[in-house]
Amino acid sequence: MNNIIDYCLKKKGAIKDYPFGSNPVVFKIAGKMFALIFEDKEGYPYLNLKCDPVIAENLREQHEAIRPGYHMNKEHWNTIVIDGSLPEADIFYMIDHSYERVINKLPKTVQKSILE
């Protein structure tokens, strides 16, 4: 799980925040969420990521560990069960996609200031 946290924080302009208390850990860019890490009652980790709706549906069909976003807009967010069934590289790719979706919705001037 630390690799995922570190990866999120290496994104340009990313910050870690706790707007809902200690659980979940929220990663934001320019005040907008791109990732949330939380644990269920049994302590199993989950990762919520923003995703293109078509890609989100395809990922859910292909992987049992990817579900509609828990407590999120289920069209635009996926929840990934961190159970070892998905390669870390695939999780990092999904984090990249989520980050890019959020960056691309920001005003151009904000995008430029973050990405420079």
Side-chain angles (χ1 to χ4, degrees):
M1 186 53 73
N2 286 337
N3 289 349
I4 292 171
I5 292 169
D6 292 343
Y7 192 81
C8 288
L9 288 174
K10 286 180 183 173
K11 297 294 189 191
K12 286 188 176 189
I15 63 160
K16 182 166 55 168
D17 195 11
Y18 299 90
F20 310 111
S22 63
N23 191 28
V25 178
V26 177
F27 298 90
K28 295 181 178 180
I29 181 76
K32 304 289 184 184
M33 297 186 293
F34 71 92
L36 296 88
I37 297 173
F38 60 98
E39 294 180 351
D40 67 8
K41 293 175 185 159
E42 288 79 41
Y44 293 104
Y46 293 83
L47 174 65
N48 278 4
L49 296 170
K50 199 160 191 138
C51 191
D52 174 90
V54 174
I55 295 170
E57 194 61 41
N58 287 335
L59 288 169
R60 293 173 198 162
E61 289 173 6
Q62 295 172 20
H63 304 282
E64 201 171 307
I66 300 176
R67 304 171 181 167
Y70 179 72
H71 282 301
M72 307 297 279
N73 179 322
K74 292 174 184 3
E75 182 180 1
H76 296 278
W77 288 83
N78 275 340
T79 295
I80 296 110
V81 181
I82 308 300
D83 61 2
S85 66
L86 292 171
E88 189 172 69
D90 289 355
I91 294 170
F92 289 169
Y93 178 80
M94 289 185 272
I95 292 169
D96 292 344
H97 178 71
S98 181
Y99 178 85
E100 290 166 11
R101 299 240 348 132
V102 174
I103 283 280
N104 290 337
K105 292 284 186 178
L106 297 173
K108 297 293 182 205
T109 54
V110 176
Q111 289 179 32
K112 188 175 178 182
S113 69
I114 292 167
L115 298 175
E116 285 184 338

